[in-house]
Amino acid sequence: MIRTRLAAAAALATVAALTLSACSSGGDPLAAGGGESAPADSIVIGSADFPESQLLATIYAQALTAAGVEATTRLNIGSREVYMPALLDGSINMLPEYTGATLSYLTKGDAGVSSSTDVAAALEKALPEGITMLTPSEAQDSDVLAVSKDTAAKYNLKTIEDLKPYAAEMVLGGPPEWPTRHEGVQGLQEVYGLTFKEFKALDVGGPLTIAALANGQIQAADMYSTSPAMKDFVALEDNLNLFPAQNIVPILAADKKTEKVAEVLDKVSAALTTADLIEMNAKLDDQQSLDDVAAAWISAHDLG
């Protein structure tokens, strides 16, 4: 059951009081702000503590700056338990988020929706008072069921459903908890009717999974859609919506949503693709800087 806006706001405010007070001043991205709101004509964009989130925050900030909007970043804040309360108390004004994960956080995993359209609609209703969202991007960082290019060609696989005649011959790989998850082995059986020959416990779309899929030890695997490794594999379309949509979406303080801000952020989101994120994440893996990768993408899409 989806929480009301007031209930969600109250819960997040409680977490804010507990979590932000526990942050040490050393290395804390929020410490410099001291919880103070940004000037009315500027936007402070926060990020989670992983490179893709930091990259997205940098892209949105650079695009706003190029359009004449004063924008700064506070990167590497931490988990949702830290950065969502910071959005509520004005320490930051905007975040690049993932629709399904944010909805699950706000509803304690009780949303009961999976498709991009349904997840976005539910998220808009679940956001706390004073927080709004813009148009989600088609780009997603979600769980995908991946196969090698050779396997996809051999069986003419385009969707997860296409695996049904062949799953009994295949070994499935994924994280150790996958056999007990609906968004895993159970769901593949219940939603798609897939029973694999064997399940091999590996890591979460990491080097063990990548190596096993590449060398044929497994024929299908749980991967992340924006992993740089996905350039070598095929993500099968989740045509029956087993995995909750994780579209990139800017969420921000409602009082920072001007016509200009919305226009700029929506243009970025509209231009962004999952393939772009795969390519940019690979550049970050090669030790290219966030600023350089973001600037190159903005320039390539005439957003600067």
Side-chain angles (χ1 to χ4, degrees), residues 158-174:
K158 293 182 173 60
T159 70
I160 296 176
E161 199 169 20
D162 290 340
L163 281 170
K164 196 166 184 179
Y166 315 109
E169 307 168 20
M170 296 180 170
V171 178
L172 172 67

Side-chain angles (χ1 to χ4, degrees), residues 9 11 23 26-27 46 55 63 75 148 150-151 181 191 198 208 220 229 255-256 269 283 288-289:
C23 288
L55 174 65
L75 306 181
S148 70
D150 286 345
T151 298
R181 286 189 174 178
V191 176
E198 181 187 345
L208 295 178
D255 60 3
K256 295 293 184 177
S269 296
K283 291 179 179 179
Q288 295 189 36
S289 75

Side-chain angles (χ1 to χ4, degrees), residues 2-294:
I2 295 176
R3 289 194 255 168
T4 64
R5 295 184 182 210
L6 289 176
L12 288 174
T14 299
V15 176
L18 293 173
T19 310
L20 292 180
S21 63
C23 288
S24 62
S25 58
D28 177 10
L30 298 176
E36 296 178 2
S37 298
D41 58 349
S42 68
I43 293 181
V44 179
I45 304 175
S47 85
D49 53 358
F50 58 92
E52 183 177 280
S53 177
Q54 297 164 22
L55 174 65
L56 289 166
T58 303
I59 288 173
Y60 283 117
Q62 287 189 8
L64 285 170
T65 299
V69 178
E70 183 181 346
T72 57
T73 58
R74 290 187 186 161
L75 306 181
N76 199 33
I77 293 172
S79 66
R80 282 183 184 83
E81 287 75 15
V82 181
Y83 65 68
M84 289 292 281
L87 183 61
L88 283 173
D89 74 13
S91 299
I92 57 176
N93 311 123
M94 184 196 133
L95 286 159
E97 263 291 19
Y98 302 86
T99 54
T102 309
L103 178 62
S104 180
Y105 172 80
L106 292 172
T107 63
K108 295 185 177 180
D110 193 31
V113 291
S114 295
S115 72
S116 290
T117 301
D118 291 345
V119 170
L123 176 58
E124 191 166 24
K125 293 178 182 178
L127 286 172
E129 193 73 31
I131 305 300
T132 189
M133 61 181 273
L134 297 180
T135 306
S137 172
E138 289 189 7
Q140 293 196 53
D141 185 353
S142 62
D143 284 271
V144 293
L145 194 65
V147 298
S148 70
K149 291 179 179 178
D150 286 345
T151 298
K154 178 179 180 180
Y155 298 110
N156 192 28
L157 303 176
K158 293 182 173 60
T159 70
I160 296 176
E161 199 169 20
D162 290 340
L163 281 170
K164 196 166 184 179
Y166 315 109
E169 307 168 20
M170 296 180 170
V171 178
L172 172 67
E177 63 272 17
W178 241 43
T180 60
R181 286 189 174 178
H182 177 72
E183 291 85 9
V185 175
Q186 289 184 3
L188 288 170
Q189 187 167 25
E190 294 168 6
V191 176
Y192 283 102
L194 302 181
T195 301
F196 287 86
K197 176 182 177 180
E198 181 187 345
F199 175 79
K200 188 177 289 291
L202 298 166
D203 50 14
V204 188
L208 295 178
T209 301
I210 292 167
L213 191 57
N215 64 29
Q217 288 180 301
I218 59 175
Q219 287 72 51
D222 176 35
M223 290 285 293
Y224 292 129
S225 61
T226 63
S227 166
M230 284 307 300
K231 66 182 183 296
D232 299 319
F233 301 127
V234 174
L236 300 179
E237 181 189 348
D238 183 15
N239 55 305
L240 298 181
N241 298 311
L242 170 62
F243 303 117
Q246 301 289 356
N247 298 82
I248 310 299
V249 63
I251 62 172
L252 70 159
D255 60 3
K256 295 293 184 177
K257 183 184 175 183
T258 66
E259 184 176 345
K260 187 173 189 178
V261 165
E263 180 183 3
V264 172
L265 298 180
D266 280 347
K267 281 184 178 179
V268 170
S269 296
L272 190 66
T273 67
T274 302
D276 289 341
L277 288 173
I278 292 172
E279 181 179 349
M280 289 189 286
N281 283 333
K283 291 179 179 179
L284 296 181
D285 282 354
D286 289 338
Q287 305 304 311
Q288 295 189 36
S289 75
L290 289 168
D291 286 338
D292 288 348
V293 174

